[in-house]
Amino acid sequence: MQLEQGNIALKNKDSKLDNRAILLVKCPDKPGIVSVLSTFLYKHNANIIESSQYSSDPENGKFFIRLEYHCDNLQAKAKEMEEEFVQIAKDYDMTYDFYYRKERQRTAIYVSKELHCLRELLWEWQNGDLDTDIVVVISNHEDARPIVESYGIPFYYIPANKDIRKEVEAKQIQLMEEYNVDLLILARYMQILTPDFVGHFENRIINIHHSFLPAFIGAKPYDRAHKRGVKLIGATSHYVTNDLDEGPIIEQDVERVDHRDDVETLKKIGSKIERRVLARAVKWHLENRVIVEDNKTIVFH
């Protein structure tokens, strides 16, 4: 009986999302934009349930807005609304996207030997706090196989090094296409991706870097942080670009440390920060709360 009730609750939740959508817009800032957008939604009897906006400069700046709305019979209206919005976007020089809550993104996770970030993502996903379908996990080691397969998720072991990187990435791209993946998460995947691979998934690869960027980029940041006697350590989650560890930053966090903390202690503290920072960044991406502008992000929490 409990299982049946659970299925009914899940079905009811999904049905509520059928009529929910998100509109993300960026454009040159000028008077009247909010009015135009709200009038457009009102015309289609859509009720705005969440609105967040930001202007980089009220004079000749950029305007960014996220509107989440409910609209009865949305599936039947969506095409008409999108077609009508084309002219509005042209008039105001808007870059925009419509996202529909009923359409869950399909996610792949890449991992190497350190599994703490993978475990956190799987836990959040199992709890229902990550609104996605984790469809495949890929690793260059076998360490993650037991935990991944215990969740019923396909696991692929693909050895990787710089000498066979081209062949490895060709196979990975093929798998991403086979599983129709929308988002790639690098959960401590310790391989550098080539420009060709990154180019296939622009602003769709999220990485966790075990340092508070831009300090201590690259390998062994905790060793170098310890040598410098830092008083704060942190982690950074960002979109992957072809500039190593310099993609648009989505989320960061820190914790205080002191001279008593050795390298191993720093790593333990750091792993906790990494887990929560990556999970938050992924959650905000999945909820379409992130707009990328040049090499920075606007994140509507």
Side-chain angles (χ1 to χ4, degrees):
M1 184 65 177
Q2 287 182 338
L3 180 59
E4 184 180 341
Q5 289 175 340
N7 289 337
I8 292 172
L10 181 60
K11 191 176 293 184
N12 289 339
K13 179 184 176 183
D14 290 342
S15 64
K16 287 180 180 178
L17 297 181
D18 286 349
N19 292 319
R20 297 270 283 270
I22 296 159
L23 174 59
L24 290 183
V25 172
K26 64 179 178 180
C27 61
D29 197 4
K30 63 180 179 180
I33 298 171
V34 174
S35 176
V36 166
L37 295 174
S38 57
T39 300
F40 163 75
L41 292 174
Y42 174 73
K43 176 182 175 181
H44 293 276
N45 200 32
N47 183 33
I48 298 172
I49 56 179
E50 185 178 332
S51 177
S52 302
Q53 65 190 66
Y54 165 71
S55 175
S56 63
D57 186 339
E59 297 182 5
N60 302 316
K62 278 282 187 74
F63 180 79
F64 307 84
I65 189 167
R66 178 188 186 273
L67 292 163
E68 185 167 352
Y69 59 91
H70 173 97
C71 184
D72 287 337
N73 201 23
L74 179 60
Q75 294 180 62
K77 292 180 179 179
K79 184 177 179 181
E80 176 190 350
M81 292 176 70
E82 289 192 27
E83 289 174 351
E84 181 180 324
F85 197 78
V86 170
Q87 187 58 50
I88 295 174
K90 185 177 180 181
D91 293 341
Y92 286 83
D93 194 18
M94 293 176 175
T95 301
Y96 68 95
D97 286 292
F98 285 90
Y99 298 98
Y100 300 97
R101 292 290 307 275
K102 72 181 185 67
E103 298 174 357
R104 287 165 64 90
Q105 294 190 54
R106 296 169 63 82
T107 295
I109 300 176
Y110 286 52
V111 65
S112 290
K113 282 192 170 185
E114 297 186 57
L115 307 184
H116 54 284
C117 288
L118 170 69
R119 291 179 185 275
E120 184 75 15
L121 293 171
L122 293 174
W123 173 249
E124 293 282 314
W125 172 69
Q126 187 181 47
N127 274 349
D129 292 328
L130 289 182
D131 189 19
T132 186
D133 294 323
I134 299 176
V135 294
V136 64
V137 174
I138 292 174
S139 181
N140 57 328
H141 297 277
E142 287 279 7
D143 302 57
R145 183 183 292 277
I147 182 174
V148 171
E149 292 186 341
S150 73
Y151 283 85
I153 300 170
F155 176 87
Y156 288 85
Y157 165 56
I158 306 177
N161 60 62
K162 62 182 180 180
D163 296 325
I164 57 171
R165 189 163 288 153
K166 187 174 180 179
E167 298 91 322
V168 167
E169 290 190 345
K171 186 172 183 180
Q172 290 171 340
I173 291 171
Q174 181 184 353
L175 284 169
M176 297 303 93
E177 292 172 349
E178 287 179 9
Y179 282 93
N180 194 25
V181 168
D182 300 300
L183 173 67
L184 282 67
I185 305 170
L186 307 184
R188 296 303 304 273
Y189 182 64
M190 307 308 288
Q191 292 289 316
I192 295 174
L193 303 177
T194 68
D196 180 63
F197 187 92
V198 173
H200 276 80
F201 309 100
E202 184 178 6
N203 294 332
R204 292 194 292 138
I205 307 175
I206 296 179
N207 185 42
I208 183 67
H209 182 76
H210 42 306
S211 176
F212 191 75
L213 294 173
F216 306 119
I217 65 173
K220 296 188 176 180
Y222 296 120
D223 296 74
R224 288 182 288 140
H226 183 257
K227 288 179 181 177
R228 288 290 304 275
V230 301
K231 307 306 180 212
L232 287 172
I233 63 170
T236 301
S237 189
H238 62 92
Y239 289 114
V240 174
T241 66
N242 290 319
D243 295 318
L244 180 63
D245 296 332
E246 294 188 15
I249 292 171
I250 307 170
E251 173 63 343
Q252 295 180 291
D253 204 352
V254 295
E255 284 196 20
R256 296 202 66 84
V257 295
D258 64 27
H259 59 277
R260 300 176 185 86
D261 297 317
D262 59 19
V263 173
E264 287 307 309
T265 303
L266 295 184
K267 287 181 179 179
K268 288 180 181 179
I269 297 171
S271 69
K272 294 178 183 179
I273 311 173
E274 293 164 27
R275 285 159 42 196
R276 64 177 183 254
V277 167
L278 180 59
R280 285 200 295 254
V282 169
K283 181 179 175 65
W284 293 335
H285 176 94
L286 293 170
E287 293 178 354
N288 302 297
R289 295 185 177 276
V290 185
I291 298 177
V292 176
E293 175 66 9
D294 297 327
N295 201 43
K296 63 185 292 186
T297 61
I298 287 82
V299 183
F300 295 116
H301 300 162

